[in-house]
Amino acid sequence: MLVFIIEIIGTVAFASSGAMVGIRKKMDVLGVIVMAVMTAVGGGIIRDLVLGIHPPNTFKNPIYVEYSVLTAVILFVVFYIKKQMLDSKALFYYEKIMILLDAIGLGAFTVIGVETAYEIGYVHHRFLLLFVGVITGVGGGMIRDMMAQQIPFILVKQIYACASLAGAGVCIWLMPYHKSASMILGAVVVVIIRILAATYRWDLPKIE
Amino acid sequence: MLVFIIEIIGTVAFASSGAMVGIRKKMDVLGVIVMAVMTAVGGGIIRDLVLGIHPPNTFKNPIYVEYSVLTAVILFVVFYIKKQMLDSKALFYYEKIMILLDAIGLGAFTVIGVETAYEIGYVHHRFLLLFVGVITGVGGGMIRDMMAQQIPFILVKQIYACASLAGAGVCIWLMPYHKSASMILGAVVVVIIRILAATYRWDLPKIE
Amino acid sequence: MLVFIIEIIGTVAFASSGAMVGIRKKMDVLGVIVMAVMTAVGGGIIRDLVLGIHPPNTFKNPIYVEYSVLTAVILFVVFYIKKQMLDSKALFYYEKIMILLDAIGLGAFTVIGVETAYEIGYVHHRFLLLFVGVITGVGGGMIRDMMAQQIPFILVKQIYACASLAGAGVCIWLMPYHKSASMILGAVVVVIIRILAATYRWDLPKIE
């Protein structure tokens, strides 16, 4: 039950980030919905394609899609009615809160990605476990940015994929000893790193 | 036989839209061919990857690829010889006709997508049926726009994915009663909505 | 052993081209690594998804990923320490050499792609063999350009995909007679065409 609530929080946060990009890029309501859905479930779809899970879980259990659509529709309606809110102080605080929820989603999706591959039996394929963990966490955001014609956020700014990578590493390392504990700890690592990075505007080195 | 002719019409229309974007973006002849092929068969490839059909049908039966290549080569040669035609009145009418043929393709591909998943046995996975129907219809166009570095047309302008969505819905709803009738009706719904939207320049609401 | 060395040469050259685009687009160090890895192994991943090889080979044997990461880190550190080298004469010669190594990689990956599908049993699916050969060769570069928000190089400039296409054709044509010979000859055809095209700046016709 707790896992489910955390997953829904993450889904709503991811869907919200997709919908906001869609609204800013002046997409129509269906475009905004597509952006929200792909951001929320895109990472999981890539993971399942790589692991050979057909059809991807999202399609068998569309509850996350439903929450994504709902999120997109609510945001669209709110900003359609009060367009000036797009520049408001309220939005500023809304996006602050969303950074927290998004971090929770990133943590949850990362460890769920690792676990999915682990359960199928890829126990010793460490690189595969790492990859599916990170792609489940950041894949949706990459698809969002590529659809919106932006260079993927995770490639240029702040510690985002890096937080997912660290958490996936912790989760993979501890998984042989205790599954639940490894997942919780992995997710917590992601959330802490991501929140610290967002608060103190940590960036990885780059050449400018 | 009729189905085959309709599919070829759709293939040529989709390939033509891909080739025209390639020509406008000053791609070379091979780039124009790649754009035409991916626009025509890209949606079906995504569908088959999602459904776990390996290799995707396109590769087992490349007739649609052949028609796409032919379409691209003819268009390229015509505009290579008479470049001024790119701004001509004739092109204007050509693109008007293509909107009609494209709508026929959108309708055909949508219901074929639904049917493909239905035949495999996903009878009760309504969201999956809807997704594969729409992605078969619009996936090629999304790939085209992402390759050409444009925000996907379907996310910003006119009732396009929405027409596909409505037709897929009708098709899924009626499929348990009569397969052929549900497919024909679904495709007709797509074509009518799309043509009306293109004629009267209907747009979904957006925030501007 | 020779095959392995050639594959590593190709991997390093592809990773280098991805890393350089990442550095030029001012991505952070992780972004540069992701660009390098995806350019090097992206084509093989698409090939394996299309052929239904789960998980893709890259994940079972991550040696190519390791060389890609190493390449990216070295390049990043060098240019981080001496930023002025980005405009230097040395870089000019480095990129000249890389064109040669890249051509070797293009040749090797193309024929390995053809062979992978051939070994699985798609002996008579000529279009599939051609597609997986070319996509193994050029897929990574396409992903690189789409992530960096550039129109894929292969669609606009010089004989690149075309070289891969010709080599794949030769390889497929001769494969029933002698596997090793067909692969060597196919790869040599790719390298020769690509080097000639780069040296004499051959372009396919385009409409300008």
Side-chain angles (χ1 to χ4, degrees), chain A residues 38-39 42-43 46 134-135 137-155 160-161, chain B residues 146, chain C residues 34-35 38 143 146-147 149:
Chain A
M38 288 310 298
T39 308
I46 299 179
V134 175
I135 205 71
V138 310
M142 290 195 69
I143 295 177
R144 172 198 67 209
D145 292 340
M146 289 174 77
M147 288 204 303
Q149 299 298 314
Q150 304 172 339
I151 290 188
F153 177 78
I154 66 148
L155 300 180
Y160 194 91
Chain B
M146 290 174 76
Chain C
V34 170
M35 290 288 288
M38 288 311 297
I143 294 177
M146 289 174 77
M147 289 205 302
Q149 299 298 315

Side-chain angles (χ1 to χ4, degrees), chain B residues 45-61:
Chain B
I45 291 175
I46 299 178
R47 177 198 63 211
D48 291 351
L49 290 180
V50 165
L51 294 176
I53 300 171
H54 299 295
N57 284 321
T58 304
F59 299 110
K60 283 178 268 184
N61 180 14

Side-chain angles (χ1 to χ4, degrees), chain C residues 50-62:
Chain C
V50 165
L51 293 177
I53 299 173
H54 299 296
N57 284 320
T58 304
F59 299 111
K60 282 178 270 185
N61 180 14

Side-chain angles (χ1 to χ4, degrees), chain A residues 130-202:
Chain A
L130 208 62
F131 177 84
V132 295
V134 175
I135 205 71
T136 310
V138 310
M142 290 195 69
I143 295 177
R144 172 198 67 209
D145 292 340
M146 289 174 77
M147 288 204 303
Q149 299 298 314
Q150 304 172 339
I151 290 188
F153 177 78
I154 66 148
L155 300 180
V156 269
K157 263 218 218 135
Q158 289 183 3
I159 312 279
Y160 194 91
C162 201
S164 172
L165 199 61
V170 168
C171 179
I172 293 163
W173 175 44
L174 297 176
M175 195 154 264
Y177 308 108
H178 193 293
K179 206 181 83 172
S180 308
S182 74
M183 288 178 71
I184 293 168
L185 218 70
V188 168
V189 166
V190 176
V191 174
I192 291 176
I193 296 179
R194 177 71 194 117
I195 295 296
L196 286 175
T199 308
Y200 298 105
R201 299 184 176 282
W202 289 347

Side-chain angles (χ1 to χ4, degrees), chain A residues 50-165:
Chain A
V50 165
L51 294 175
I53 300 172
H54 299 295
N57 285 320
T58 304
F59 299 112
K60 283 179 266 185
N61 180 14
I63 179 108
Y64 305 108
V65 172
E66 288 160 15
Y67 274 89
S68 305
V69 173
L70 197 67
T71 305
V73 170
I74 291 173
L75 283 171
F76 188 88
V77 169
V78 167
F79 289 113
Y80 192 77
I81 295 172
K82 284 179 83 76
K83 210 175 69 182
Q84 67 274 31
M85 279 184 65
L86 272 172
D87 309 302
S88 73
K89 197 80 188 165
L91 185 65
F92 176 79
Y93 288 113
Y94 172 79
E95 296 202 323
K96 282 276 175 219
I97 295 167
M98 275 301 144
I99 285 176
L100 174 62
L101 302 188
D102 187 274
I104 294 172
L106 184 64
F109 290 169
T110 299
V111 297
I112 288 168
V114 171
E115 192 224 2
T116 305
Y118 201 88
E119 289 297 302
I120 296 182
Y122 296 114
V123 177
H124 299 297
H125 292 70
R126 274 152 180 280
F127 174 64
L128 178 64
L129 292 171
L130 208 62
F131 177 84
V132 295
V134 175
I135 205 71
T136 310
V138 310
M142 290 195 69
I143 295 177
R144 172 198 67 209
D145 292 340
M146 289 174 77
M147 288 204 303
Q149 299 298 314
Q150 304 172 339
I151 290 188
F153 177 78
I154 66 148
L155 300 180
V156 269
K157 263 218 218 135
Q158 289 183 3
I159 312 279
Y160 194 91
C162 201
S164 172
L165 199 61

